[in-house]
Amino acid sequence: MTTRRRFIAIVPAAGTALLAARAVQAQATAAVDPKDPQAVALGYVTDTTKADKTKFPKHTPDQHCGNCQLFQGAATAEKAPCTLFQGKQVLNKAWCSAWTKKAG
């Protein structure tokens, strides 16, 4: 049987847990900022056709996050998490120098 005192103790804890879960979810849906130091170091661009061809001569237009091994979503997803950018999402048509062809 739940007492009033126990109920009053449980409600704030449950509320705090819910807020924490929402904060983690919001962080996971944040997009990578191309100006972020890690993104800059990797040459990250939100559109693969805008990759610096001088700096990355091996880049080809068919390389994009959606067909990269590090992309953690379906190949057709508009955006998804990337193992390089913890807690952030990359656009399917984006690219960075860590691009690695997805197996299979």
Side-chain angles (χ1 to χ4, degrees):
M1 185 167 158
T2 304
T3 65
R4 180 177 161 188
R5 197 171 278 180
R6 181 173 163 95
F7 178 78
I8 290 172
I10 292 172
V11 169
T16 302
L18 180 61
L19 288 174
R22 285 189 177 172
V24 168
Q25 182 182 17
Q27 237 182 357
T29 59
V32 172
D33 181 352
K35 294 178 184 172
D36 177 89
Q38 182 180 359
V40 170
L42 291 169
Y44 177 81
V45 290
T46 57
D47 179 354
T48 190
T49 63
K50 307 263 194 270
D52 186 339
K53 292 171 184 27
T54 306
K55 209 172 183 182
F56 305 105
K58 292 184 179 182
H59 171 267
T60 60
D62 62 319
Q63 298 174 355
H64 57 86
C65 293
N67 62 16
C68 176
Q69 186 171 350
L70 305 172
F71 191 70
Q72 300 299 297
T76 57
E78 183 181 335
K79 60 184 176 178
C82 172
T83 57
L84 292 179
F85 301 102
Q86 293 296 341
K88 305 237 172 139
Q89 293 194 349
V90 294
L91 296 172
N92 186 307
K93 297 301 178 190
W95 178 87
C96 83
S97 62
W99 181 87
T100 305
K101 185 175 181 171
K102 190 174 273 193

